[in-house]
Amino acid sequence: MTEPLTERSARVAAARKLTRRAGRDAAGLFLAEGRQAVAEALADPAGVREVFATAEAAAEHRDLLARTPVPVRPVTGRAAASLSETVTPQGLVAVCALRDVPADVLVGAPPRLTVALAELADPGNAGTVLRTADACGAGAVVFGAGSADPYGGKAVRSSAGSLFHVDVVRGAPLAGLLPRLQAAGATVLAADGGGETALDELGPELAGPVVWLFGNEARGVPAELAALADARVRIPMRGRAESLNLAAAAAICLYTTQLVQG
């Protein structure tokens, strides 16, 4: 049997650099940890460079690993832990190619539903919005300049595999991109607690192509971007809550859009 790689091995050391954004961008790679993420990654094996697995993880996930053409490298528990950003490492990590697409792809053919994120700060929210966008049939999620990296460990885990199902655009200057999407036929809707239009007042506007714009968790959508939107949309609230957090607001807006688009 092949001797397991340790945390000092060159391959593991190279993969460990992917726990930082600078390392991911330099290598064009990121890490996906755990059964769900690795299984979704291996559905398109061309995008996976290698998989690291402890003996325990390899035995537990034998069905998944036995049928993949991707090299599976045995590693020690300490090596697997060095690649993990969790308290309890799962012992199964895939090295995957970044999945970015150019913004021009969206402009050329806007999806029926796109999510744009302006200065989103929390990586957990980034992954949750990806997962929600996937569930609601979105074709793409745009991470505007200054937003959290969807390829960070927390974001990848929070996406629960959905990162591999939708197109991802990173670092896009939204002030330039949104007007181009509008010119291509998309309606841009900015989620705004003080918006002049209520979500339940929308109808044909949601038929698509539609771009939902969500902002920073604390500051909301920047004023200059909200001014570009076709409408600023608020979610009607019957109770006494002051506001909704970003992930909850996104889920409501995207699900409502899904109902209209069918």
Side-chain angles (χ1 to χ4, degrees), residues 158-195:
S158 298
S159 80
S162 288
L163 174 63
F164 297 96
H165 301 162
V166 299
D167 288 340
V168 172
V169 177
R170 284 195 305 162
L174 294 178
L177 178 59
L178 295 178
R180 295 177 65 203
L181 289 170
Q182 289 167 315
T187 298
V188 175
L189 303 174
D192 186 335

Short mmCIF file of all heavy atoms in Angstrom, two decimals, residues 158-195:
data_model
loop_
_atom_site.label_atom_id
_atom_site.label_comp_id
_atom_site.label_asym_id
_atom_site.label_seq_id
_atom_site.Cartn_x
_atom_site.Cartn_y
_atom_site.Cartn_z
N SER A 158 -20.83 26.10 3.26
CA SER A 158 -22.19 26.63 3.36
C SER A 158 -22.99 26.42 2.08
O SER A 158 -24.21 26.34 2.10
CB SER A 158 -22.16 28.12 3.71
OG SER A 158 -21.56 28.33 4.96
N SER A 159 -22.29 26.34 0.95
CA SER A 159 -23.01 26.15 -0.32
C SER A 159 -23.51 24.72 -0.48
O SER A 159 -24.37 24.45 -1.33
CB SER A 159 -22.11 26.50 -1.50
OG SER A 159 -21.20 25.46 -1.82
N ALA A 160 -22.99 23.79 0.31
CA ALA A 160 -23.44 22.39 0.31
C ALA A 160 -23.43 21.78 -1.09
O ALA A 160 -24.34 21.05 -1.47
CB ALA A 160 -24.84 22.27 0.94
N GLY A 161 -22.42 22.12 -1.87
CA GLY A 161 -22.29 21.56 -3.21
C GLY A 161 -22.87 22.42 -4.31
O GLY A 161 -22.59 22.19 -5.49
N SER A 162 -23.68 23.42 -3.96
CA SER A 162 -24.31 24.25 -4.99
C SER A 162 -23.31 25.10 -5.75
O SER A 162 -23.61 25.56 -6.86
CB SER A 162 -25.39 25.14 -4.36
OG SER A 162 -26.51 24.37 -3.97
N LEU A 163 -22.12 25.32 -5.19
CA LEU A 163 -21.08 26.05 -5.90
C LEU A 163 -20.79 25.40 -7.25
O LEU A 163 -20.37 26.08 -8.20
CB LEU A 163 -19.81 26.07 -5.04
CG LEU A 163 -18.54 26.66 -5.64
CD1 LEU A 163 -18.74 28.14 -5.97
CD2 LEU A 163 -17.36 26.48 -4.70
N PHE A 164 -21.02 24.09 -7.35
CA PHE A 164 -20.71 23.37 -8.58
C PHE A 164 -21.90 23.34 -9.56
O PHE A 164 -21.79 22.73 -10.63
CB PHE A 164 -20.30 21.93 -8.24
CG PHE A 164 -19.05 21.85 -7.42
CD1 PHE A 164 -19.12 21.73 -6.04
CD2 PHE A 164 -17.80 21.93 -8.01
CE1 PHE A 164 -17.95 21.67 -5.27
CE2 PHE A 164 -16.64 21.87 -7.25
CZ PHE A 164 -16.72 21.74 -5.88
N HIS A 165 -22.99 24.01 -9.21
CA HIS A 165 -24.20 23.94 -10.04
C HIS A 165 -24.52 25.23 -10.77
O HIS A 165 -25.33 25.22 -11.69
CB HIS A 165 -25.41 23.56 -9.18
CG HIS A 165 -25.28 22.26 -8.48
ND1 HIS A 165 -26.07 21.90 -7.41
CD2 HIS A 165 -24.44 21.20 -8.68
CE1 HIS A 165 -25.73 20.70 -6.98
NE2 HIS A 165 -24.74 20.26 -7.74
N VAL A 166 -23.95 26.35 -10.34
CA VAL A 166 -24.28 27.64 -10.96
C VAL A 166 -23.01 28.31 -11.45
O VAL A 166 -21.92 28.03 -10.95
CB VAL A 166 -25.02 28.58 -9.97
CG1 VAL A 166 -26.33 27.97 -9.51
CG2 VAL A 166 -24.13 28.91 -8.77
N ASP A 167 -23.16 29.18 -12.45
CA ASP A 167 -22.01 29.96 -12.90
C ASP A 167 -21.64 30.98 -11.83
O ASP A 167 -22.51 31.58 -11.20
CB ASP A 167 -22.34 30.69 -14.20
CG ASP A 167 -22.41 29.75 -15.39
OD1 ASP A 167 -21.86 28.63 -15.32
OD2 ASP A 167 -23.02 30.13 -16.42
N VAL A 168 -20.34 31.18 -11.65
CA VAL A 168 -19.84 32.13 -10.66
C VAL A 168 -19.02 33.20 -11.37
O VAL A 168 -18.14 32.89 -12.17
CB VAL A 168 -18.96 31.42 -9.61
CG1 VAL A 168 -18.28 32.43 -8.70
CG2 VAL A 168 -19.79 30.44 -8.79
N VAL A 169 -19.37 34.46 -11.11
CA VAL A 169 -18.59 35.60 -11.60
C VAL A 169 -18.03 36.30 -10.38
O VAL A 169 -18.77 36.63 -9.46
CB VAL A 169 -19.47 36.57 -12.42
CG1 VAL A 169 -18.65 37.78 -12.86
CG2 VAL A 169 -20.07 35.86 -13.63
N ARG A 170 -16.71 36.51 -10.37
CA ARG A 170 -16.08 37.16 -9.21
C ARG A 170 -15.47 38.50 -9.60
O ARG A 170 -14.97 38.68 -10.70
CB ARG A 170 -14.97 36.28 -8.64
CG ARG A 170 -15.42 35.11 -7.83
CD ARG A 170 -14.26 34.54 -7.02
NE ARG A 170 -13.11 34.20 -7.85
CZ ARG A 170 -11.88 34.01 -7.37
NH1 ARG A 170 -11.64 34.14 -6.09
NH2 ARG A 170 -10.89 33.69 -8.18
N GLY A 171 -15.50 39.41 -8.62
CA GLY A 171 -14.78 40.67 -8.77
C GLY A 171 -15.34 41.60 -9.82
O GLY A 171 -14.65 42.52 -10.27
N ALA A 172 -16.58 41.40 -10.21
CA ALA A 172 -17.16 42.23 -11.26
C ALA A 172 -17.47 43.63 -10.74
O ALA A 172 -18.08 43.77 -9.68
CB ALA A 172 -18.44 41.59 -11.79
N PRO A 173 -17.09 44.69 -11.47
CA PRO A 173 -17.51 46.05 -11.12
C PRO A 173 -18.99 46.21 -11.47
O PRO A 173 -19.34 46.38 -12.64
CB PRO A 173 -16.60 46.95 -11.98
CG PRO A 173 -15.56 46.04 -12.56
CD PRO A 173 -16.18 44.69 -12.63
N LEU A 174 -19.85 46.14 -10.47
CA LEU A 174 -21.29 46.10 -10.73
C LEU A 174 -21.80 47.38 -11.37
O LEU A 174 -22.77 47.36 -12.13
CB LEU A 174 -22.03 45.81 -9.43
CG LEU A 174 -21.78 44.42 -8.82
CD1 LEU A 174 -22.54 44.27 -7.52
CD2 LEU A 174 -22.19 43.33 -9.79
N ALA A 175 -21.15 48.51 -11.09
CA ALA A 175 -21.61 49.78 -11.68
C ALA A 175 -21.53 49.75 -13.20
O ALA A 175 -22.32 50.41 -13.89
CB ALA A 175 -20.79 50.94 -11.14
N GLY A 176 -20.61 48.97 -13.72
CA GLY A 176 -20.51 48.83 -15.17
C GLY A 176 -21.30 47.66 -15.71
O GLY A 176 -21.83 47.71 -16.83
N LEU A 177 -21.42 46.60 -14.92
CA LEU A 177 -22.07 45.38 -15.38
C LEU A 177 -23.59 45.50 -15.42
O LEU A 177 -24.24 45.05 -16.37
CB LEU A 177 -21.66 44.19 -14.51
CG LEU A 177 -22.31 42.85 -14.83
CD1 LEU A 177 -22.00 42.43 -16.26
CD2 LEU A 177 -21.84 41.78 -13.83
N LEU A 178 -24.19 46.11 -14.39
CA LEU A 178 -25.66 46.15 -14.32
C LEU A 178 -26.29 46.85 -15.54
O LEU A 178 -27.25 46.32 -16.11
CB LEU A 178 -26.10 46.80 -13.01
CG LEU A 178 -25.73 46.03 -11.73
CD1 LEU A 178 -26.17 46.81 -10.50
CD2 LEU A 178 -26.36 44.63 -11.73
N PRO A 179 -25.79 48.00 -15.96
CA PRO A 179 -26.36 48.62 -17.15
C PRO A 179 -26.23 47.76 -18.41
O PRO A 179 -27.11 47.76 -19.27
CB PRO A 179 -25.57 49.93 -17.30
CG PRO A 179 -25.11 50.24 -15.91
CD PRO A 179 -24.80 48.89 -15.31
N ARG A 180 -25.14 47.01 -18.50
CA ARG A 180 -24.97 46.13 -19.66
C ARG A 180 -25.99 44.99 -19.64
O ARG A 180 -26.52 44.60 -20.69
CB ARG A 180 -23.55 45.56 -19.67
CG ARG A 180 -22.46 46.61 -19.88
CD ARG A 180 -21.08 45.97 -19.81
NE ARG A 180 -20.88 45.03 -20.90
CZ ARG A 180 -20.00 44.03 -20.88
NH1 ARG A 180 -19.28 43.82 -19.78
NH2 ARG A 180 -19.86 43.23 -21.91
N LEU A 181 -26.28 44.48 -18.45
CA LEU A 181 -27.30 43.44 -18.34
C LEU A 181 -28.68 44.00 -18.68
O LEU A 181 -29.50 43.33 -19.32
CB LEU A 181 -27.29 42.84 -16.93
CG LEU A 181 -26.08 41.96 -16.60
CD1 LEU A 181 -26.03 41.63 -15.12
CD2 LEU A 181 -26.13 40.66 -17.42
N GLN A 182 -28.96 45.22 -18.25
CA GLN A 182 -30.23 45.87 -18.59
C GLN A 182 -30.35 46.07 -20.09
O GLN A 182 -31.40 45.83 -20.68
CB GLN A 182 -30.36 47.20 -17.84
CG GLN A 182 -30.59 47.04 -16.34
CD GLN A 182 -30.40 48.33 -15.58
OE1 GLN A 182 -29.43 49.07 -15.82
NE2 GLN A 182 -31.31 48.63 -14.66
N ALA A 183 -29.27 46.48 -20.72
CA ALA A 183 -29.29 46.67 -22.18
C ALA A 183 -29.51 45.36 -22.90
O ALA A 183 -30.05 45.33 -24.02
CB ALA A 183 -27.98 47.31 -22.63
N ALA A 184 -29.12 44.24 -22.25
CA ALA A 184 -29.32 42.92 -22.84
C ALA A 184 -30.70 42.36 -22.54
O ALA A 184 -31.01 41.22 -22.92
CB ALA A 184 -28.25 41.96 -22.32
N GLY A 185 -31.53 43.13 -21.83
CA GLY A 185 -32.91 42.72 -21.59
C GLY A 185 -33.26 42.29 -20.19
O GLY A 185 -34.38 41.89 -19.92
N ALA A 186 -32.32 42.40 -19.27
CA ALA A 186 -32.58 41.98 -17.89
C ALA A 186 -33.16 43.13 -17.07
O ALA A 186 -32.81 44.29 -17.26
CB ALA A 186 -31.30 41.48 -17.24
N THR A 187 -34.04 42.78 -16.14
CA THR A 187 -34.56 43.72 -15.16
C THR A 187 -33.76 43.60 -13.88
O THR A 187 -33.58 42.50 -13.36
CB THR A 187 -36.04 43.42 -14.86
OG1 THR A 187 -36.81 43.57 -16.06
CG2 THR A 187 -36.58 44.37 -13.80
N VAL A 188 -33.25 44.71 -13.38
CA VAL A 188 -32.45 44.71 -12.16
C VAL A 188 -33.31 45.18 -11.00
O VAL A 188 -33.88 46.27 -11.03
CB VAL A 188 -31.20 45.60 -12.31
CG1 VAL A 188 -30.45 45.68 -10.97
CG2 VAL A 188 -30.29 45.07 -13.40
N LEU A 189 -33.40 44.35 -9.97
CA LEU A 189 -34.19 44.66 -8.78
C LEU A 189 -33.27 44.68 -7.57
O LEU A 189 -32.57 43.70 -7.29
CB LEU A 189 -35.29 43.61 -8.57
CG LEU A 189 -36.27 43.43 -9.75
CD1 LEU A 189 -37.20 42.25 -9.48
CD2 LEU A 189 -37.07 44.70 -9.99
N ALA A 190 -33.24 45.80 -6.87
CA ALA A 190 -32.40 45.94 -5.68
C ALA A 190 -33.23 45.67 -4.44
O ALA A 190 -34.26 46.32 -4.21
CB ALA A 190 -31.81 47.35 -5.63
N ALA A 191 -32.79 44.71 -3.63
CA ALA A 191 -33.47 44.43 -2.36
C ALA A 191 -33.12 45.54 -1.38
O ALA A 191 -31.96 45.77 -1.07
CB ALA A 191 -33.04 43.08 -1.82
N ASP A 192 -34.16 46.23 -0.88
CA ASP A 192 -33.94 47.42 -0.05
C ASP A 192 -35.11 47.55 0.91
O ASP A 192 -36.27 47.67 0.48
CB ASP A 192 -33.84 48.66 -0.95
CG ASP A 192 -33.46 49.92 -0.19
OD1 ASP A 192 -33.73 49.99 1.03
OD2 ASP A 192 -32.92 50.84 -0.81
N GLY A 193 -34.81 47.51 2.22
CA GLY A 193 -35.87 47.62 3.21
C GLY A 193 -36.69 48.88 3.10
O GLY A 193 -37.84 48.93 3.55
N GLY A 194 -36.14 49.92 2.49
CA GLY A 194 -36.86 51.17 2.29
C GLY A 194 -37.32 51.37 0.87
O GLY A 194 -37.62 52.50 0.46
N GLY A 195 -37.37 50.29 0.11
CA GLY A 195 -37.71 50.39 -1.31
C GLY A 195 -39.12 50.90 -1.55
O GLY A 195 -40.03 50.70 -0.74
#
